[in-house]
Amino acid sequence: AMTVAFTEALSLNEATINQAESLQSPAKEPGSIATLKGDEGVVLIFHVGESIRADRMSVNGYERDTTPWLRQQAELINFPDCISAACDTCEVELVIMTDGRRSVRDEGAGDMQPKTGSVLDLFAAHGFDVYTFFGRRCAQQLKYDRVIRVLTHCSRERFNAPGSPWTSVPQMQDVLEKNPQKNLVFFINNEGSHTPFDHFDRENPPFAPAGANFEHPSAHAEEVNNAYDSTIHYTDEFFRRVTEAVGNRPWVYVYISDHGEYLGHDGMWGRAALGMGHIPYHSTRGSRVGMFVLPSPQFAAVHPHFAEALKKLRAHRTLTVADEHIFHTLLGLFGIETPHYDSSLDLTSDSVQPYSGPKPE
């Protein structure tokens, strides 16, 4: 069954890879940025996270304190009702980073198909140096990794965290020291809370006993759930370390998880995306994922547009949002004008429309 699932995954990814490679860069169209000249030292931290369910974050009311640092951030703009596009990472990345919509491969989707490439290209075209920080998996050159490599092709440099995601923080510090005045994008895509739930402090797990036994998960439900919650606690510490590294520069951290994980509640465990049978993904709790925007006080002070955009974001934080909002919200937040922008999907716009598709109860 594992071999069949792996073969299906490769064929699914191949279709998404082909689609990503066929897209023209949005920077080929004329555009402008109204907010920055290029030497303000602004840092956009754009983090497509891995497998964090919204209902397992204490910032969203989960009884365990899985996000203690995030919960204490006074400037946090948290979106508790964010619905991911798919349970396949490649497809989700395409929807988040381009103007594509969910079901990007469906026949007859019409205007749902992406018409342009990565949003990172637009930042690179408007004075930002883009640096990408992957986890270990993108170092493996697997087909699975190729979509995100296509979408980050404008990067000045790509780094791989050799061990845990925490090991990418010194890499970021090095880039920051070498570029004190440059406007930067740090694009992060690392393992996070993906199965087998092994990124946490094994010596001192915050929730114990912790261990991901996926041969018999139902018989080890407590350990598996403890391991999953421990990985979220670990990612919360990652957020803290990254923002500490960026320090007093004007920065804004935009985080969205790709999809959730199945933890027994939906009758499934782990990444049961393939062969899910009769259960539609969007009826499961795994489709509601973590999303937030966290600005530094210095960011709002750089330009009046930033302060106004953050105010609008805060006003819209109770909306049902989705992956489709990210591309346009990043453009709206930074005042980047391009023909590919759609104000109805920009959470900093008065005319934004919420996601209205299927979602869990």
Side-chain angles (χ1 to χ4, degrees):
M2 286 293 288
T3 308
V4 171
F6 184 68
T7 306
E8 284 182 27
L10 286 183
S11 116
L12 195 69
N13 291 340
E14 197 67 44
T16 316
I17 290 160
N18 292 339
Q19 187 160 33
E21 289 178 338
S22 72
L23 294 171
Q24 181 168 295
S25 170
K28 291 198 184 308
E29 301 278 346
S32 62
I33 184 166
T35 52
L36 298 170
K37 300 190 300 294
D39 58 357
E40 294 88 351
V42 169
V43 184
L44 164 62
I45 306 154
F46 177 22
H47 185 173
V48 177
E50 183 62 72
S51 306
I52 289 189
R53 289 166 56 138
D55 65 353
R56 301 300 279 257
M57 300 170 75
S58 55
V59 75
N60 290 327
Y62 185 46
E63 63 269 18
R64 280 179 157 174
D65 201 3
T66 51
T67 52
W69 181 82
L70 207 56
R71 198 172 41 75
Q72 293 166 15
Q73 302 314 299
E75 298 298 317
L76 181 70
I77 306 169
N78 184 51
F79 292 86
D81 195 19
C82 178
I83 310 303
S84 73
C87 44
D88 170 65
T89 298
C90 291
E91 187 169 348
V92 168
E93 286 166 344
L94 198 58
V95 176
I96 288 173
M97 296 178 69
T98 75
D99 65 346
R101 309 289 282 273
R102 62 194 57 222
S103 303
V104 288
R105 282 193 309 277
D106 284 0
E107 292 293 329
D111 63 354
M112 303 287 274
Q113 295 289 344
K115 299 180 181 67
T116 192
S118 175
V119 69
L120 296 177
D121 288 14
L122 288 165
F123 282 87
H126 294 298
F128 286 79
D129 284 357
V130 178
Y131 291 85
T132 298
F133 301 90
F134 291 129
R136 286 177 300 190
R137 67 180 179 83
C138 281
Q140 297 168 6
Q141 306 285 324
L142 297 176
K143 287 181 182 177
Y144 185 79
D145 304 323
R146 275 168 42 205
V147 167
I148 199 63
R149 294 186 76 81
V150 170
L151 294 171
T152 59
H153 74 98
C154 66
S155 303
R156 294 268 172 149
E157 200 167 349
R158 292 188 178 101
F159 298 90
N160 291 101
S164 80
W166 287 355
T167 57
S168 63
V169 176
Q171 298 171 340
M172 295 179 199
Q173 286 170 325
D174 189 49
V175 173
L176 289 161
E177 284 166 16
K178 289 175 179 169
N179 299 277
Q181 297 301 124
K182 282 294 298 185
N183 293 339
L184 305 173
V185 176
F186 282 2
F187 178 77
I188 302 169
N189 183 231
N190 51 20
E191 283 89 359
S193 299
H194 199 286
T195 52
F197 309 160
D198 58 0
H199 285 302
F200 61 88
D201 182 355
R202 299 302 185 85
E203 300 299 312
N204 189 26
F207 310 107
N213 182 327
F214 281 106
E215 288 185 20
H216 307 286
S218 298
H220 298 271
E222 182 188 4
E223 297 102 295
V224 174
N225 275 279
N226 285 345
Y228 180 74
D229 287 348
S230 294
T231 65
I232 298 177
H233 192 278
Y234 173 101
T235 300
D236 181 73
E237 170 65 11
F238 178 78
F239 299 148
R240 187 193 72 76
R241 292 185 184 202
V242 172
T243 57
E244 183 179 67
V246 185
N248 293 323
R249 286 177 69 149
W251 54 261
V252 59
Y253 201 130
V254 178
Y255 175 88
I256 184 168
S257 184
D258 56 356
H259 52 71
E261 290 281 344
Y262 303 108
L263 299 164
H265 313 82
D266 306 308
M268 298 175 290
W269 289 89
R271 291 288 293 116
L274 298 155
M276 271 174 41
H278 62 284
I279 303 176
Y281 171 64
H282 287 103
S283 71
T284 73
R285 290 191 231 171
S287 71
R288 185 178 279 115
V289 295
M291 178 186 161
F292 66 81
V293 177
L294 179 62
S296 70
Q298 293 87 347
F299 178 73
V302 169
H303 194 281
H305 173 88
F306 293 167
E308 185 61 26
L310 290 170
K311 188 176 164 187
K312 298 273 177 63
L313 269 179
R314 204 171 291 282
H316 294 144
R317 67 191 185 278
T318 57
L319 293 181
T320 301
V321 301
D323 297 346
E324 288 90 334
H325 286 103
I326 298 294
F327 178 94
H328 306 278
T329 297
L330 287 171
L331 299 178
L333 178 58
F334 281 87
I336 295 175
E337 294 188 13
T338 166
H340 303 289
Y341 168 77
D342 181 346
S343 64
S344 73
L345 290 167
D346 172 15
L347 292 164
T348 74
S349 165
D350 288 327
S351 56
V352 68
Q353 297 298 305
Y355 167 77
S356 58
K359 67 174 193 173
E361 294 298 319

